[in-house]
């Protein structure tokens, strides 16, 4: 494990630093002209707010669930999408895990935030411990796109994401690195009320922030 995670840019005590507290920021929303009439939510800086969810099979965090990409055939990605009005990042992560991967579970904590400047998106990243896998789920039942899901070892998932989603790859590496350096925190229940995690990996003082021009 140390060979896999030894080069992560984290402090020696396992803390990830720099936080953007988007969960309590005021937002504005506009209608998007799509078949789903999606409402896009923005933060005060004009970034579209999103959330991704790393769905782990259990607390050991040795396996993670990826889903097939809608836009790139044969590629795998992380469940995630835009916040809806009155949702917190954790609520969105939980919803996207159910809609895209067909799983339910406990949101453990927030790992951090990444920004894509080219797309002007700001995404919060959460981890979930899966408790239930649905036989049928929304994205798997769409006629034009039957999304698939697949369990990967963490090592294989990092390598797979690195090809098209390098920021997701780095965040997955960070999430697993911290889980092996620290005692796992209890599940955070505050996401039901729209608040950010206040302890452990999701602490507002321990978040990882990454910025990129692409993907």
């Amino acid at each position: 494990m140390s060979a896999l995670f030894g080069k992560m840019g984290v402090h020696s005590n396992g803390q990830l630093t720099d936080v953007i507290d988007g969960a309590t920021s005021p937002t504005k929303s506009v209608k998007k002209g799509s078949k789903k009439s999606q409402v896009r939510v923005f933060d005060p800086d004009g970034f579209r707010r999103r959330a991704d969810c790393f769905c782990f099979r259990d607390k050991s965090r040795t396996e993670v669930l990826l889903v097939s990409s809608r836009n790139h055939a044969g590629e795998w990605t992380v469940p995630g999408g835009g916040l809806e009005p009155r949702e917190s990042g954790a609520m969105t992560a939980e919803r996207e895990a159910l809609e895209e991967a067909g799983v339910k579970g406990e949101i453990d904590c927030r790992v951090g935030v990444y920004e894509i400047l080219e797309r002007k998106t700001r995404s919060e990243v959460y981890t979930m411990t899966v408790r239930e896998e649905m036989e049928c789920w929304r994205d798997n039942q769409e006629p034009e796109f039957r999304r698939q899901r697949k369990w990967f070892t963490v090592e294989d998932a990092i390598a797979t994401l690195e090809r098209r989603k390098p920021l997701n790859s780095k965040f997955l590496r960070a999430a697993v690195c911290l889980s092996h350096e620290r005692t796992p925190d209890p599940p955070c229940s505050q996401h039901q009320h729209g608040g950010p995690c206040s302890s452990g990996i999701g602490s507002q003082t321990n978040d990882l922030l990454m910025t990129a021009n692409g993907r």
Side-chain angles (χ1 to χ4, degrees):
M1 188 63 65
S2 59
L4 179 59
F5 301 111
K7 294 184 179 181
M8 265 307 300
V10 296
H11 290 213
S12 58
N13 62 1
Q15 303 288 309
L16 294 175
T17 59
D18 295 330
V19 63
I20 293 177
D21 180 17
T24 56
S25 300
T27 63
K28 62 179 180 178
S29 61
V30 297
K31 286 280 188 177
K32 177 189 175 186
S34 69
K35 62 180 181 179
K36 296 181 181 178
S37 297
Q38 180 182 9
V39 177
R40 290 188 167 186
V41 177
F42 299 84
D43 67 14
D45 297 323
F47 282 79
R48 184 193 178 201
R49 294 188 60 197
R50 298 182 67 267
D52 292 339
C53 189
F54 287 121
C55 304
F56 291 99
R57 189 185 288 275
D58 53 40
K59 294 291 186 180
S60 70
R61 296 191 180 180
T62 57
E63 292 182 88
V64 65
L65 192 65
L66 300 183
V67 296
S68 55
S69 172
R70 181 183 295 273
N71 299 320
H72 303 281
E75 297 287 343
W76 296 89
T77 189
V78 179
L83 270 67
E84 294 183 354
R86 294 177 294 280
E87 276 189 339
S88 69
M91 293 169 66
T92 299
E94 190 173 50
R95 174 176 55 78
E96 292 291 342
L98 178 60
E99 291 178 354
E100 295 192 357
V103 294
K104 298 180 180 180
E106 299 170 353
I107 292 291
D108 299 312
C109 270
R110 186 170 75 175
V111 182
V113 180
Y114 69 87
E115 301 171 348
I116 304 293
L117 300 181
E118 184 177 271
R119 300 177 183 174
K120 205 162 187 181
T121 59
R122 183 171 284 158
S123 303
E124 300 176 48
V125 181
Y126 290 85
T127 63
M128 167 188 282
T129 301
V130 173
R131 298 302 184 200
E132 181 180 359
E133 293 184 49
M134 313 299 289
E135 291 186 7
C136 300
W137 66 98
R138 193 199 70 175
D139 280 15
N140 181 250
Q141 299 302 305
E142 291 187 3
E144 70 275 15
F145 177 72
R146 293 188 178 276
R147 193 187 295 274
Q148 303 299 307
R149 66 188 177 197
K150 180 180 177 181
W151 288 104
F152 286 76
T153 65
V154 166
E155 293 88 346
D156 287 345
I158 288 173
T160 296
L161 293 171
E162 184 65 33
R163 291 194 290 268
R164 292 200 61 85
K165 300 285 186 178
L167 288 179
N168 282 152
S169 179
K170 289 181 174 64
F171 268 90
L172 176 56
R173 191 184 293 263
V176 180
C177 180
L178 287 182
S179 74
H180 285 273
E181 291 181 359
R182 302 181 56 184
T183 302
D185 300 297
C188 173
S189 60
Q190 293 188 27
H191 71 276
Q192 297 176 355
H193 308 288
C197 286
S198 59
S199 64
I201 295 175
S203 168
Q204 293 183 13
T205 60
N206 296 332
D207 275 3
L208 174 67
L209 172 65
M210 293 186 185
T211 302
N213 289 317
R215 301 178 294 182

